[in-house]
Amino acid sequence: MPNVPSAPDPASGAAALEELWRLVEPFGGWLTRDQAGRLWEAAAAVPNGGRIVEIGSHQAKSTAILAAAMSSGVGLTAIDPFDPAFEAGHDQARTAFENNLRTVRLRDRVDLVMALSQDVLHGWDQPIDLLYIDGAHDPTSVRRDLGWLDHVRPGGQVLVHDSFSSVGVTVVLYGRVLPDRRLRYTGRSGSLAAFRCASPTAASRLAMLAQLPWFIRNVVVKVARRLHLMPVARLLGHTDPRYDPF
Ligand SMILES: C[S@@+](CC[C@H](N)C(=O)[O-])C[C@H]1O[C@@H](n2cnc3c(N)ncnc32)[C@H](O)[C@@H]1O
């Protein structure tokens, strides 16, 4: 039997996250170390008896961080259809999801629902303490995923990946979330934007608007990558030719 590393004890905080990140970083997916830290803090803050919902799990990179950080009385529902019809969705992702979570001994902390988020939302009736949105990034899907807000407790946390990076996500953030009265922007790590389920303030709305230059920079990087103009992307501080900014 190979020596399988076990998931760290969430109670031991920063050191535990470092230890887990060493195991999780090689998983396929899109998550930076800083973003893992933000997920970790958000999941660790969920009170006993609470519930986390993740939309878009792929190979369990973010799922593993959430599962390790939450206390044992918290439930985590991970939703992904693993359908090849969707970007990054495929059978190998499902296999990797299972294998990766077993590797870090966190599989039993996760309730996987293999379905589309909109179909799961249809029959959902539980309050949510932390909602992590990282499913499809087209505006229609993002708008639909914001429908989950109806179940987030007042004061609950909402994290949205690819914010101010993906055009589809950003169009919805500026078109729907900014004028809405339900979400208060509290900051971001790269493209992982954090919100509270609370009335926005003038300062939080201004802070969202202040991300516009970073969004424009990301669009220019994406165009440059597609035109094989990596020197332009590098000039804007984007050094990894494999990926768009996230
Ligand atoms: C960007 S990946 C998620 C990355 C993952 N959170 C990580 O940390 O690497 C997006 C995932 O969303 C899934 N997806 C696409 N449409 C979806 C939907 N309607 N409901 C749930 N998941 C969806 C895809 O199958 C894919 O695995």
Side-chain angles (χ1 to χ4, degrees), residues 29-30 56-58 61-62 79-81 86 88-89 116-118 134-136:
W30 300 267
S57 303
H58 192 54
K61 200 164 193 165
S62 47
I79 305 169
D80 199 309
F86 298 99
L116 293 167
S117 54
Q118 59 268 35
D134 192 14

Side-chain angles (χ1 to χ4, degrees), residues 105-136:
R105 296 187 179 166
L106 291 166
R107 181 62 186 92
D108 59 351
R109 291 202 202 176
V110 181
D111 308 321
L112 172 64
V113 182
M114 264 184 64
L116 293 167
S117 54
Q118 59 268 35
D119 294 341
V120 185
L121 175 60
H122 201 59
W124 188 268
D125 61 2
Q126 293 178 57
I128 298 169
D129 298 86
L130 168 59
L131 174 66
Y132 179 42
I133 301 179
D134 192 14

Side-chain angles (χ1 to χ4, degrees), residues 4 14 31 46 49 73 75 87-88 121 130 147 156 177 183 208 212-213 238 245:
V4 180
L31 197 73
V46 174
E87 197 183 344
L121 175 60
L130 168 59
V177 173
L183 281 186
M208 266 186 90
L212 209 49
H238 184 80

Side-chain angles (χ1 to χ4, degrees), residues 65-194:
I65 301 291
L66 294 168
M70 69 192 198
S71 67
S72 55
V74 173
L76 168 56
T77 303
I79 305 169
D80 199 309
F82 298 112
D83 185 334
F86 298 99
E87 197 183 344
H90 43 70
D91 288 350
Q92 291 99 311
R94 164 82 206 280
T95 307
F97 174 94
E98 298 290 347
N99 291 342
N100 287 340
L101 283 181
R102 286 210 176 88
T103 302
V104 290
R105 296 187 179 166
L106 291 166
R107 181 62 186 92
D108 59 351
R109 291 202 202 176
V110 181
D111 308 321
L112 172 64
V113 182
M114 264 184 64
L116 293 167
S117 54
Q118 59 268 35
D119 294 341
V120 185
L121 175 60
H122 201 59
W124 188 268
D125 61 2
Q126 293 178 57
I128 298 169
D129 298 86
L130 168 59
L131 174 66
Y132 179 42
I133 301 179
D134 192 14
H137 297 333
D138 61 282
T140 306
S141 301
V142 179
R143 264 194 297 272
R144 237 174 2 213
D145 285 343
L146 286 174
W148 282 84
L149 283 179
D150 291 346
H151 297 284
V152 180
R153 291 183 198 275
Q157 308 175 81
V158 178
L159 300 173
V160 184
H161 202 253
D162 297 289
S163 297
F164 314 115
S165 164
S166 150
V167 173
V169 175
T170 309
V171 161
V172 177
L173 288 184
Y174 282 132
R176 281 283 171 101
V177 173
L178 186 64
D180 198 276
R181 295 176 156 272
R182 285 181 298 174
L183 281 186
R184 181 184 299 169
Y185 175 70
T186 58
R188 66 172 174 87
S189 296
S191 74
L192 182 62

